[in-house]
Amino acid sequence: MDLSIGEVARRSGLSVYALRFYEREGLFANPVRRLSNGRRVYREEDLEWLAICVRLRSSGMPVAMIRGYIDLVRAGAGNERERLDLLRRHQDDVAAQIRELQVTLEVMREKVQVYEEHLARGAADRLWNPSHPDGGDGGDGDRDGGRGGGRGAGAASS
């Protein structure tokens, strides 16, 4: 079934501009066909590939690396080990990003908890403010709201 660029945009969630970018950068597994009037014509397989390509991009894979992967796919059989190596490298990168995001999420959870506790006690003015002459902690050094620390350096409750 042939699909117009508008239909592909609607179904993929990408803009027409983004689809043109993907085509211009050579990120489609197969060349996009054109009608005699110049209009682009896509197939279901293009949508399937596009879904993979969008995931690769959203996970941080550089356009050049996606293009390299596509070049290997287009070349056909015999380079499966190279494709696997490329995908494994990216998998490792994504896993490292997730670990870093987990650490960041924990910091954010702690900060939210501190704010919730301070607001519930009516003690929001006790939150640490490094721009205040006394640090915004009322002068008693209670930067963690009496929670006994445990946040480590640089993790004050601002």
Side-chain angles (χ1 to χ4, degrees), residues 9 13 24 54 60 66 70 73 81 110 115 117 132 139 146-147 156:
R24 188 172 50 253
V54 166
I66 296 172
I70 292 168
V73 170
R81 178 64 57 193
E110 289 177 2
Y115 271 82
E117 289 172 359
H132 192 276
R147 292 166 43 97

Side-chain angles (χ1 to χ4, degrees), residues 31-157:
V32 176
R33 294 180 307 133
R34 291 188 182 250
L35 299 175
S36 60
N37 63 7
R39 288 187 178 213
R40 291 168 175 85
V41 179
Y42 300 87
R43 297 184 201 114
E44 287 293 329
E45 305 86 55
D46 296 323
L47 266 176
E48 292 168 14
W49 167 250
L50 200 53
I52 294 167
C53 195
V54 166
R55 287 290 176 198
L56 294 175
R57 278 298 297 140
S58 71
S59 66
M61 184 180 277
V63 169
M65 189 178 226
I66 296 172
R67 196 178 304 112
Y69 177 67
I70 292 168
D71 289 345
L72 290 170
V73 170
R74 286 180 188 146
N79 61 25
E80 292 81 4
R81 178 64 57 193
E82 292 172 74
R83 292 186 224 175
L84 176 60
D85 290 345
L86 184 148
L87 292 172
R88 277 193 176 141
R89 279 194 313 273
H90 187 63
Q91 176 180 284
D92 292 345
D93 291 345
V94 170
Q97 288 175 32
I98 290 170
R99 285 190 300 275
E100 182 62 31
L101 285 171
Q102 286 296 125
V103 170
T104 301
L105 179 59
E106 187 55 36
V107 168
M108 296 312 302
R109 284 181 174 145
E110 289 177 2
K111 293 186 82 50
V112 165
Q113 183 177 2
V114 166
Y115 271 82
E116 288 173 344
E117 289 172 359
H118 276 75
L119 288 169
R121 289 193 321 256
D125 61 330
R126 309 280 297 153
L127 289 165
W128 182 59
N129 180 350
S131 65
H132 192 276
D134 67 359
D137 62 9
D140 66 2
D142 186 22
R143 291 188 175 171
D144 69 354
R147 292 166 43 97
R151 287 197 168 71
S157 58

